[in-house]
């Protein structure tokens, strides 16, 4: 039985019981004589409160987790919590550095035996929030180009390896204006100044889209997208921006891109699509069935709902894959457009296959930052693979990606998963290619990339507040 068939069976069996957890976690490690161990979040219930009169935001998080080995459990939260308790008993916590000083996490100062536990954490929310006299705006905007910039920037979470069920409620105190929550969950309950949503079990710390604003702050278009596929479905689409004109422009592009993606990879993988359009050309960021995006990067961000937020990186060493695939798609279409008047094959491209070796995936297992070179060197590598595959009748990168996507959707993947699937499809080892182009000798990411290459800019704190 070949590898992809084996993988499909494993995935089907796994999806029937539970989503990914501890099996893809980094190695546990010692810190100041304590054994810091990774946990498997099963369910997280986040209760948020926004107090407009006192200009304070807080979260109470109740997390059910399982511990597979004896030690001091790890979680993460960028801002120090007010209190931490396990099964009703309060404990102290501390922020520690991971090995190789790649990142930071928090450990609870209580050694636990393997088993199931309930963790309760209370913290203030200080990032991504603006209070005014009568209203509040808040957003959990994320980035994979800076450390600790996923959900842990706002509320307690885990590394990306972990998939878990999320339930979120939001209560607003002192509001004198109506508000609206844009989020990629399913509405459970809504009343005056109270919102409750649930989210799919395949979500990770980079999946959740959350944008809470005064009701009339943005112009909104809502409609139902009707799939053109025989096995497709219809789903709700919400587009919003500062102007109706930009929304109409977005809708035309969104519909075109959705038809392309469904044709290439299959039905849209999420319950809905939410797109926040930024008309000032700042790039964007993807979430599961949601995105922030400038107009020029809509296609890039929507493809990420397949590769990044449906087939999801389990760690920083796998983060290059989805950026390489999305950037390859962008450059492929540009090449096709530029050569539409000739009968020539689509060229390999501007400097594809001519770049020197790069280190895209040979970093510490504790890393959670995507190298910027993923957009350039990573895209070139996908073109290089396409040139290899084209030598075999009937094979191409696009055909591989469809198989790869169908077998891996709703799972987290490692770099090795991607490599093995490629080798199984191609029928030959790719050790030399990966060693040169993906596990290269460059230890520092010194690439300088243009706005045209860079779809996920690192925004300053003020720029993020301006988007909120």
């Amino acid at each position: 039985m070949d590898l992809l068939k084996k993988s499909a069976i494993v995935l089907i069996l796994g999806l029937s019981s539970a989503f990914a957890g501890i099996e893809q976690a980094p190695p546990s490690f010692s810190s100041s004589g304590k054994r810091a161990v990774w946990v498997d979040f099963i369910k997280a219930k986040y209760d948020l409160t926004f107090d407009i009169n006192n200009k304070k935001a807080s979260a109470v998080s109740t997390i059910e987790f399982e511990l597979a080995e004896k030690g001091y459990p790890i979680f993460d939260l960028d801002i120090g919590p007010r209190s931490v308790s396990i099964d009703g008993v309060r404990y102290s916590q501390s922020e520690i550095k991971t090995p190789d000083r790649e990142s930071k996490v928090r450990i609870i100062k209580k050694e636990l035996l393997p088993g199931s536990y309930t963790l309760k954490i209370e913290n203030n929310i200080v990032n991504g929030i603006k209070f005014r006299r009568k209203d509040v705006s808040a957003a959990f905007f994320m980035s994979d180009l800076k450390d600790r910039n996923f959900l842990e920037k706002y509320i307690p979470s885990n590394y990306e390896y972990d998939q878990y069920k999320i339930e979120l409620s939001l209560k607003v105190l002192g509001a004198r204006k109506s508000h609206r929550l844009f989020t990629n969950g399913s509405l459970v309950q809504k009343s005056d100044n109270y919102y409750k949503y649930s989210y799919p079990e395949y979500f990770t710390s980079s999946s959740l889209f959350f944008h809470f604003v005064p009701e009339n702050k943005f112009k909104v278009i809502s409609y139902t997208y009707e799939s053109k596929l025989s096995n497709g479905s219809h789903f709700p689409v919400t587009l919003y921006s500062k102007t109706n004109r930009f929304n109409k422009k977005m809708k035309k592009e969104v519909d075109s891109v959705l038809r392309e993606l469904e044709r290439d990879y299959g039905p849209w993988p999420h319950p809905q699509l939410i797109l926040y359009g930024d008309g000032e050309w700042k790039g964007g960021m993807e979430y599961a069935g949601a995105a922030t995006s400038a107009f020029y990067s809509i296609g890039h961000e929507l493809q990420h709902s397949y590769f990044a937020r449906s087939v999801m990186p389990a760690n920083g060493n796998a983060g290059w894959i989805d950026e390489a695939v999305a950037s390859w798609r962008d450059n492929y279409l540009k090449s096709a457009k530029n050569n539409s008047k000739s009968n020539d094959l689509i060229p390999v491209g501007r400097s594809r296959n001519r770049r020197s070796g790069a280190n895209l995936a040979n970093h510490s297992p504790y890393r959670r930052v995507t190298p910027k070179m993923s957009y350039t060197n990573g895209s070139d590598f996908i073109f290089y693979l396409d040139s290899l595959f084209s030598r075999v009748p009937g094979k191409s990168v696009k055909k591989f990606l469809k198989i790869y996507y169908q077998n891996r959707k709703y799972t987290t993947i490692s770099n090795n998963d991607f490599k093995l699937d490629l080798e199984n499809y191609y029928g030959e080892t790719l050790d030399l290619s990966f060693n040169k182009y993906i596990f290269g000798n460059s230890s520092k990411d010194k690439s300088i990339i243009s706005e045209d290459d860079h779809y996920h800019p690192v925004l300053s704190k003020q720029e993020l507040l301006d988007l909120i």
Side-chain angles (χ1 to χ4, degrees):
M1 184 180 294
D2 64 43
L3 178 62
L4 281 182
K5 288 180 180 178
K6 288 180 181 178
S7 298
I9 291 173
V10 170
L11 291 176
I12 291 169
L13 291 175
L15 287 171
S16 66
S17 57
F19 288 90
I22 203 66
E23 66 274 9
Q24 297 206 67
S28 298
F29 59 94
S30 294
S31 176
S32 301
K34 295 180 173 61
R35 181 71 172 171
V37 296
W38 301 92
V39 307
D40 181 5
F41 283 21
I42 305 301
K43 181 179 180 181
K45 182 174 179 289
Y46 299 115
D47 295 315
L48 314 182
T49 301
F50 292 169
D51 185 342
I52 294 175
N53 292 333
N54 293 307
K55 293 180 169 53
K56 290 183 179 180
S58 61
V60 177
S61 306
T62 305
I63 299 165
E64 298 174 13
F65 73 89
E66 292 182 354
L67 193 64
E69 61 176 308
K70 180 181 178 181
Y72 295 79
I74 296 171
F75 72 97
D76 201 20
L77 178 64
D78 185 36
I79 302 299
R82 296 197 310 269
S83 70
V84 174
S85 64
I86 296 178
D87 292 344
V89 180
R90 188 164 178 169
Y91 298 101
S92 60
Q93 57 78 41
S94 63
E95 184 180 70
I96 61 173
K97 294 179 180 178
T98 62
D100 303 328
R101 307 174 74 87
E102 273 288 345
S103 188
K104 296 178 181 178
V105 293
R106 295 184 184 276
I107 62 168
I108 301 167
K109 293 185 176 179
K110 171 62 178 178
E111 188 176 43
L112 299 178
L113 295 174
S116 300
Y117 299 90
T118 299
L119 169 66
K120 186 175 181 180
I121 301 171
E122 298 181 16
N123 71 281
N124 294 327
I125 303 173
V126 299
N127 294 313
I129 190 161
K130 290 194 301 187
F131 286 104
R132 298 195 303 178
R133 188 167 59 89
K134 297 180 179 180
D135 58 50
V136 59
S137 296
F140 294 170
F141 289 153
M142 304 181 194
S143 171
D144 60 352
L145 296 176
K146 290 181 66 178
D147 187 44
R148 301 179 91 183
N149 258 249
F150 291 137
L151 194 57
E152 67 274 358
K153 184 176 180 180
Y154 308 96
I155 51 182
S157 190
N158 207 351
Y159 262 39
E160 275 192 293
Y161 69 82
D162 201 3
Q163 295 175 269
Y164 57 97
K165 179 70 177 175
I166 293 174
E167 181 181 286
L168 182 146
S169 67
L170 168 61
K171 178 170 60 176
V172 185
L173 305 178
R176 283 176 277 179
K177 287 185 178 180
S178 57
H179 289 73
R180 179 166 185 171
L181 177 59
F182 296 97
T183 189
N184 54 347
S186 299
L187 181 64
V188 176
Q189 183 180 350
K190 180 181 177 182
S191 57
D192 289 345
N193 300 317
Y194 178 81
Y195 311 78
K196 184 177 181 180
Y197 282 81
S198 65
Y199 301 82
E201 293 183 12
Y202 63 85
F203 272 28
T204 72
S205 61
S206 60
S207 301
L208 191 145
F209 183 78
F210 177 93
H211 193 188
F212 187 68
V213 295
E215 179 74 38
N216 298 319
K217 185 169 185 175
F218 294 104
K219 304 298 183 182
V220 181
I221 289 180
S222 297
Y223 65 100
T224 298
Y225 176 81
E226 299 286 349
S227 175
K228 303 298 182 183
L229 300 179
S230 60
N231 62 336
S233 63
H234 58 275
F235 54 89
V237 177
T238 302
L239 312 178
Y240 67 104
S241 70
K242 293 180 180 179
T243 68
N244 286 321
R245 181 179 180 181
F246 192 72
N247 286 346
K248 292 177 182 178
K249 184 179 179 182
M250 280 200 299
K251 183 180 185 302
K252 185 176 180 180
E253 179 72 1
V254 164
D255 289 349
S256 175
V257 172
L258 286 175
R259 287 193 294 271
E260 169 209 331
L261 296 176
E262 289 202 317
R263 181 177 63 248
D264 287 347
Y265 308 115
W268 182 250
H270 305 288
Q272 74 285 304
L273 169 60
I274 301 171
L275 183 63
Y276 172 24
D278 174 22
E280 297 182 9
W281 294 78
K282 293 180 181 177
M285 184 62 190
E286 75 277 359
Y287 306 84
T292 62
S293 183
F295 182 80
Y296 82 97
S297 57
I298 286 175
H300 183 99
E301 303 308 336
L302 293 192
Q303 195 194 42
H304 274 318
S305 265
Y306 286 81
F307 302 100
R309 302 297 172 249
S310 180
V311 179
M312 298 164 282
N315 51 47
N317 278 325
W320 72 274
I321 299 169
D322 56 76
E323 291 302 349
V325 169
S327 297
W328 167 81
R329 175 258 175 201
D330 302 329
N331 293 321
Y332 184 95
L333 291 180
K334 289 176 187 175
S335 296
K337 183 177 181 180
N338 291 338
N339 289 274
S340 61
K341 295 182 179 180
S342 77
N343 293 321
D344 295 335
L345 294 175
I346 295 172
V348 171
R350 74 184 172 263
S351 61
R352 311 193 207 298
N353 306 335
R354 301 193 185 105
R355 295 185 189 273
S356 59
N359 182 6
L360 299 182
N362 191 19
H363 300 282
S364 163
Y366 306 98
R367 179 185 175 96
R368 44 181 162 177
V369 177
T370 299
K372 296 188 186 78
M373 291 183 291
S374 303
Y375 302 87
T376 49
N377 294 66
S379 172
D380 290 352
F381 183 68
I382 304 299
F383 272 96
Y384 163 73
L385 291 176
D386 205 22
S387 69
L388 286 182
F389 294 173
S390 66
R391 302 170 190 173
V392 182
K395 292 188 182 292
S396 69
V397 158
K398 186 172 284 189
K399 290 178 180 178
F400 162 75
L401 288 174
K402 184 172 185 177
I403 296 170
Y404 167 73
Y405 170 74
Q406 292 297 331
N407 284 336
R408 297 283 186 178
K409 62 182 177 181
Y410 306 133
T411 71
T412 57
I413 56 99
S414 68
N415 186 71
N416 194 51
D417 292 329
F418 184 61
K419 179 174 178 290
L420 288 175
D421 284 2
L422 283 167
E423 290 174 333
N424 188 70
Y425 178 80
Y426 181 43
E428 295 184 25
T429 179
L430 293 169
D431 285 348
L432 292 177
S433 298
F434 268 78
N435 287 340
K436 178 176 180 180
Y437 295 111
I438 305 303
F439 305 136
N441 294 323
S442 173
S443 60
K444 298 292 184 180
D445 186 0
K446 299 178 180 179
S447 58
I448 299 174
I449 52 184
S450 68
E451 183 182 76
D452 197 42
D453 285 319
H454 196 187
Y455 288 90
H456 304 302
V458 178
L459 301 182
S460 67
K461 185 175 182 179
Q462 185 57 53
E463 287 175 320
L464 284 170
L465 287 175
D466 290 343
L467 279 175
I468 294 170

